[in-house]
Amino acid sequence: MLPTVSLSKSDWSLHRKGPIDQARHNERVKEAIKDSLGDIVSQESIITSDGKKIVKIPIRSLELPRFRFDRGRKKHAGQGQGGSKVGDVIGQEAGGQPRGPGKGKQAGEMPGIDYYEAEITVDELAALMFEDLGLPFLKPKGRALVESEEVRFDEVRKTGPLSNLDKRRTIRQNLMRNARAGRSGFGGLQNDDLRFKTWERRVKEESNAVVIAMRDVSGSMGEFEKYITRSFYFWMVRFLRTRYTQVQIVFITHHTEAKEVDEDTFFNLGESGGTKVSSAYQLALEIANERYPASEWNTYPFHFSDGDNWGEVDNQRCLDLVKALLARSNAFGYGEIQEGGRRSPSTLMSAFGQIRDPQFIGVTITKKEDVYPALKQFFSTRDESGLAAVAR
Amino acid sequence: MTPEEIRELERAIGEIWEIAGRVGLEPYPVHFELVPASIMYEFGAYGLPGRFSHWTHGRAYQQIKTQYDYGLSKIYELVINTNPAYAFLLENNSVLQNKLVAAHVLAHVDFFKNNAYFAHTNRSMLETVSINAERLRRYEFEHGQKAVEQLLDAVLSIQEHIDANPRLRVTPPEPPKRRSATPRPYDDIFALGEAKEDPPPPMPRKLPPQPEKDLLLFLADHAPDLEPWQRDVIHIVRAEQLYFLPQMQTKIMNEGWASFWHARILRELDLSSEEYVEFARLHSSVLSPSKRSVNPYYLGMKIFEDIERRWNEPSPEEREKLGRTAGQGLAKVFEVREVDNDASFLRNYLTKDLVEELDLYLYKLEGDQWVIAEKDWEAVRDTILAGMTNFGQPYIVVEDGDYRRGRELYLKHCHEGDDLDLEYADKTLKYVHQLWSRPVHLETLVEGKHTVLKYEGQHGRAIAGVK
């Protein structure tokens, strides 16, 4: 008779369905994060972090929606320890999220969370953001450096040019064959004994690129403008360092005068004064010509400003300098920040409007959410026919 | 558990089985399997071992695992309604914990076997879900993982909208037989003597003939553009959901029943005093009340105990008016276990005294605080009951599958006092649209106003005054 009740224990170590579907869930989390990158990218808490920090991102879309009641307006039943009264506060909404006791299917009975909080490091976030980005119009450059390839003989084969004959190994093979045949000593060399050295040519991939980051620190740059500039450059620097190990970044700040600064100063400087944009372009051109010859370097000047410039004369000078820079650069990026988009394009932007070169990329940013689209605008890899100068 | 502990547990399970039989439980044969925690969360997340893959199952797995890892909660047991039944015990539980769980499990299995609402469940569901999972894997292979996932997303979002009582569905009246379409010779002569009859008015093309609760079935049968494999996926999800339905209908009863019996059976076991202390602690932690929800284990057990007491010692009034004789407690308890579901169980047996004794209340959101709003026993009972109606899901029916004569889908929410979460309704409607592939509408009440949500590629909302 079959037992009516039994107990056993099996090996479950190969059972891995849960973890596999969990991985798919995590993928969905990443997809959801990617969908809302625009909002996430401009979050202050991320930009001020050191990059190692874990940021928490609420994602609503991960819940499968259902037809359900409006929980906030419903009465729910609960149970006291005895002596509860009408008016007693039993909990706090918002922030303190109530959680179900989580007994299997029972978990979600409570009024409470509908969103999932994903934890992700800034680096992971950056990797997600930059998946589709790249330096535009990047060309193979810096042959001189690339030529420093090394040749390593690291393999031995039975065939090859005689000039590469490995004599030591060949003699050894001959001795061994003779020994197997019961003879001692060298002699009766056959093709089968020959050993050749072969080599591998290792080319160290070098894409020499320099990004010249220019930042307007004049008095007209308000909190919003400064924030956007910092935010954009924060991600840009992170992006460049993630994707292009060899990239160099030159930092330039300007008001009426331009100067080259180090990274810290660039991000933290808050100066004031008038604006003479041409000073920055002039300095950028000088630095580029002196230190980064166009034959060896992919050059990318970027400039962020509110477009308030000294006057028409300087705008004209800017235009000439940008043309000069374009002539020796892969692309020139200009980002104009106008909070709320209140004005028509600045006179500077209007002057740039004359440029027909697809390698000039102009972007207008009016709100925080525009930062990510701007990054995509600047750093979408494109060919010569690529569109540019699309102001939002 | 060490081999000796396993032998000890095996022996105890035999004893528990005997006691269960002695006190009147009649479970199916049960096979217990000791599993590691990871397997336990997995089965918990999927509802059944071997069920199909979907990211929501992975999400549940992760949540349960996290809660376990942080010591927030623990699944002690998982029991499957099949014949023979299967139950999973945590291998790193103590012997005593697993003894208690085994007793709890036997009562669950007795409930599965004897409660009327389980009478038609598929008792070989483990095989069925494996076959279903295999079919879905094949569809993934044939149509791509993405296509299957997108379909499942849509179907699972409305999986609760099935009909538990399809047998009660009224069959549509047969359309009147029309005369043979091809004219026969001499028809005209035969017709001469007859009064000129008006041709019968064409039947209004109404689909469904009556409002249809089983949205999944309706979509599987009538969605205009689905491929056969997609209809099959809907049927798979529906069949599995039908299996889970009685469990949703009887949660309080089922957990109450199991708790009622595990306590009694354990008291009959020969426990050491240490074991007894551990048992008492575990028992009270399972039954601890919660400020924000009703603990089904506790509420259900208290009601069963109350029934037993009231039928054992009827009041003079009950003796006289209802002719109740003393000592019928257990008989009554077994009868209730057979015929009731949560809704009738609470309606019939959650008394004023119990509501007060258990300190049950209603609370609601005021500002950002949850505040006790009501202690009146009938209001409390009725609200808990309302939550049982249609398993706490909004009651939605298909009104018209050919709305505006354009095969648009018109759904209606049978409003019973609680408004829908509109944000969720909009999102869900989008999924319905994905399945139906023509515009979909949902009629409901929003703050008393007659409102129709619609999705036809994008959302719209019409409010048509107070109805």
Side-chain angles (χ1 to χ4, degrees), chain A residues 3-12 15-26 28 31 60-94 96 98-107 109-116, chain B residues 6 10 13 17 29-36 39 42-43 46 50-51 53-56 58-59 61-62 67 73 91 146 149 153 156-157 160-161 289-294 296-298 358-365 368-375 383-384 392-394 396 418-421 424-425 427-428 431 442 447:
Chain A
T4 43
V5 61
S6 58
L7 173 70
S8 69
K9 190 180 170 184
S10 328
D11 181 8
W12 292 94
H15 197 97
R16 290 190 44 81
K17 199 173 192 132
I20 289 169
D21 280 345
Q22 186 185 358
R24 177 62 192 130
H25 171 248
N26 288 340
R28 297 271 302 215
E31 285 167 19
R60 283 188 162 272
S61 58
L62 268 195
E63 187 100 10
L64 271 187
R66 301 177 300 136
F67 292 121
R68 62 168 204 186
F69 295 115
D70 190 341
R71 294 167 188 218
R73 309 199 326 190
K74 219 172 122 83
K75 284 181 186 164
H76 308 269
Q79 188 178 5
Q81 310 271 10
S84 66
K85 299 184 302 294
V86 170
D88 287 359
V89 175
I90 61 160
Q92 197 81 18
E93 181 69 356
R99 270 196 178 262
K103 292 193 181 81
K105 294 219 118 195
Q106 199 184 335
E109 275 182 0
M110 295 259 190
I113 42 163
D114 318 326
Y115 65 84
Y116 179 86
Chain B
I6 292 176
E10 203 166 9
I13 287 175
W17 174 266
V30 185
H31 178 73
F32 289 93
E33 178 80 31
L34 281 167
V35 297
I39 295 300
E42 184 176 311
F43 294 168
Y46 286 74
R51 234 177 137 206
S53 279
H54 189 254
W55 63 270
T56 48
R59 178 179 193 268
Y61 173 79
Q62 182 172 3
Q67 296 213 340
S73 84
E91 66 180 15
K146 196 92 194 163
E149 183 178 285
D153 283 359
L156 292 178
S157 79
E160 286 96 357
H161 299 277
S290 156
K291 283 196 289 185
R292 286 170 171 273
S293 65
V294 172
Y297 296 77
Y298 188 50
L358 297 177
D359 196 18
L360 298 175
Y361 52 69
L362 299 179
Y363 66 96
K364 65 173 185 180
L365 197 59
D368 60 351
Q369 284 180 328
W370 291 99
V371 178
I372 296 181
E374 183 88 73
K375 291 216 57 175
T383 300
I384 299 178
Q393 305 293 330
I396 286 169
D418 288 314
D419 283 6
L420 292 181
D421 181 330
Y424 267 59
K427 286 182 184 164
T428 313
Y431 277 128
L442 173 66
E447 292 175 350

Side-chain angles (χ1 to χ4, degrees), chain A residues 114-130:
Chain A
D114 318 326
Y115 65 84
Y116 179 86
E117 206 166 55
E119 291 188 344
I120 188 167
T121 65
V122 174
D123 285 339
E124 283 174 307
L125 192 59
L128 278 178
M129 280 175 63
F130 303 148

Side-chain angles (χ1 to χ4, degrees), chain B residues 348-365:
Chain B
N348 296 336
Y349 305 108
L350 180 56
T351 62
K352 179 172 191 284
D353 289 347
L354 264 179
V355 170
E356 283 166 6
E357 188 200 325
L358 297 177
D359 196 18
L360 298 175
Y361 52 69
L362 299 179
Y363 66 96
K364 65 173 185 180
L365 197 59

Side-chain angles (χ1 to χ4, degrees), chain A residues 276-294:
Chain A
K276 204 169 136 196
V277 173
S278 64
S279 64
Y281 297 170
Q282 181 66 47
L283 181 60
L285 191 60
E286 281 164 17
I287 290 175
N289 285 340
E290 264 168 43
R291 299 187 342 223
Y292 304 100

Side-chain angles (χ1 to χ4, degrees), chain A residues 3 39 41-42 54 98 102 157 184 222 231 234 239 247 250 333 369:
Chain A
D39 297 336
V41 161
S42 50
I54 286 170
R157 293 182 189 161
S184 66
S231 164
F234 170 87
F239 158 63
V247 79
V250 173
E369 290 73 26

Side-chain angles (χ1 to χ4, degrees), chain B residues 85-100:
Chain B
Y86 287 86
F88 298 90
L89 306 176
L90 262 182
E91 66 180 15
N92 52 357
N93 268 354
S94 71
V95 180
L96 182 275
Q97 282 174 330
N98 275 336
K99 284 181 190 173
L100 184 141

Side-chain angles (χ1 to χ4, degrees), chain A residues 2-6, chain B residues 13 17 20-21 24-32 79-87 102 105-124 243 337:
Chain A
L2 284 169
T4 43
V5 61
S6 58
Chain B
I13 287 175
W17 174 266
L25 297 179
E26 348 170 89
Y28 291 123
V30 185
H31 178 73
F32 289 93
V79 52
I80 294 172
N81 168 28
T82 49
N83 181 13
Y86 287 86
V105 160
L106 290 191
H108 273 316
V109 176
D110 166 80
F111 194 89
F112 291 148
K113 184 177 172 188
N114 293 293
N115 179 274
Y117 291 85
F118 287 87
H120 298 280
T121 45
N122 177 352
R123 308 283 186 183
S124 43
Y243 168 85
R337 155 284 238 149

Side-chain angles (χ1 to χ4, degrees), chain A residues 211-217 226 229-234 236-237 249-254 259-271 302-304:
Chain A
V211 168
I212 304 172
M214 291 173 276
R215 179 184 164 193
D216 185 344
V217 290
K226 283 185 202 154
T229 311
R230 275 215 316 273
S231 164
F232 178 88
Y233 280 128
F234 170 87
M236 187 195 82
V237 167
I249 309 174
V250 173
F251 297 98
I252 292 175
T253 61
H254 77 88
K259 61 184 168 199
E260 187 178 355
V261 295
D262 63 24
E263 188 172 341
D264 269 359
T265 317
F266 181 81
F267 276 102
N268 296 316
L269 198 69
E271 286 197 44
F302 282 97
H303 179 224
F304 271 81

